[in-house]
Amino acid sequence: EDQVTQSPEALRLQEGESSSLNCSYTVSGLRGLFWYRQDPGKGPEFLFTLYSAGEEKEKERLKATLTKKESFLHITAPKPEDSATYLCAVQARTGNQFYFGTGTSLTVIP
Amino acid sequence: ETGVTQTPRHLVMGMTNKKSLKCEQHLGHNAMYWYKQSAKKPLELMFVYSLEERVENNSVPSRFSPECPNSSHLFLHLHTLQPEDSALYLCASSQDSGVAEQFFGPGTRLTVL
């Protein structure tokens, strides 16, 4: 069964304390893996797309990496404004299905 | 207006009511989506439209009825809903239904009494 699991469920960091969020997936052929950020009361905001193992993408303090079984979202020296829920999603190679994880709620404390 | 807009932002309805959610995208995209987001659960993909044609329907109860009159507008018609249908309903669009990042609207918070 195709599915996406994110860990940890919640993460509290001190400002400047780097860490990583995990997204593990099982899908019958990966077409793409997506990372989104969701703030309270808003829809998810697109961050990255990764297509193949070994690929990396960076944006400001965020860096996403992909292996054959999982993806990591590395946050370097986070700031309070990075506090949000980070969602991972995969798209299977066949059909138009997107599978989302339940997200990691990140809180960065000043 | 820019991006993806949704109206209304909040909706309270009884189980016997009929209401509609509206989504409009101003991005020139060809694919549009309806998702359901419930607390502690993953986003559930409900419907996918590509060039106004429904290409995915994930066993959604018939009390939810989508309509896509053109590539910029998407509706979700609701009737005889159940309390467990209370959730955040998100609309999204993408350039096409292939591998493409989706742009989400702010959602409609639906409460069924």
Side-chain angles (χ1 to χ4, degrees), chain A residues 9 31-32 34 36 38 41-46 49 51 87 91 95-98 100-102, chain B residues 9 33 35 37 40-43 45 48 55-56 58 90 97-102 104-106:
Chain A
E9 185 174 321
R31 183 182 286 185
F34 307 84
Y36 291 86
Q38 186 172 23
K42 295 187 176 181
E45 175 188 344
F46 170 78
T49 306
Y51 297 97
L87 300 172
Q91 186 180 21
N96 295 288
Q97 283 291 347
F98 286 87
F100 276 80
T102 52
Chain B
R9 294 294 310 278
Y33 311 78
Y35 285 90
Q37 187 173 35
K40 302 294 184 181
K41 290 185 177 181
L43 266 74
L45 180 62
V48 181
V55 296
E56 200 73 49
N58 288 339
L90 291 161
S97 60
V99 182
E101 54 266 30
Q102 296 179 34
F104 285 81

Side-chain angles (χ1 to χ4, degrees), chain B residues 10-24:
Chain B
H10 300 272
L11 178 62
V12 179
M13 58 187 289
M15 292 169 61
T16 58
N17 291 158
K18 289 185 180 181
K19 296 286 184 182
S20 296
L21 310 185
K22 178 183 177 182
C23 174
E24 184 173 1

Side-chain angles (χ1 to χ4, degrees), chain A residues 29-70:
Chain A
L30 178 70
R31 183 182 286 185
L33 184 142
F34 307 84
W35 281 99
Y36 291 86
R37 168 192 172 127
Q38 186 172 23
D39 293 294
K42 295 187 176 181
E45 175 188 344
F46 170 78
L47 294 173
F48 304 109
T49 306
L50 301 167
Y51 297 97
S52 57
E55 189 174 0
E56 299 182 353
K57 294 274 181 74
E58 282 189 74
K59 180 180 179 181
E60 296 180 357
R61 295 176 292 282
L62 301 176
K63 179 180 176 181
T65 62
L66 180 65
T67 71
K68 288 187 177 180
K69 296 291 185 184
E70 58 191 351

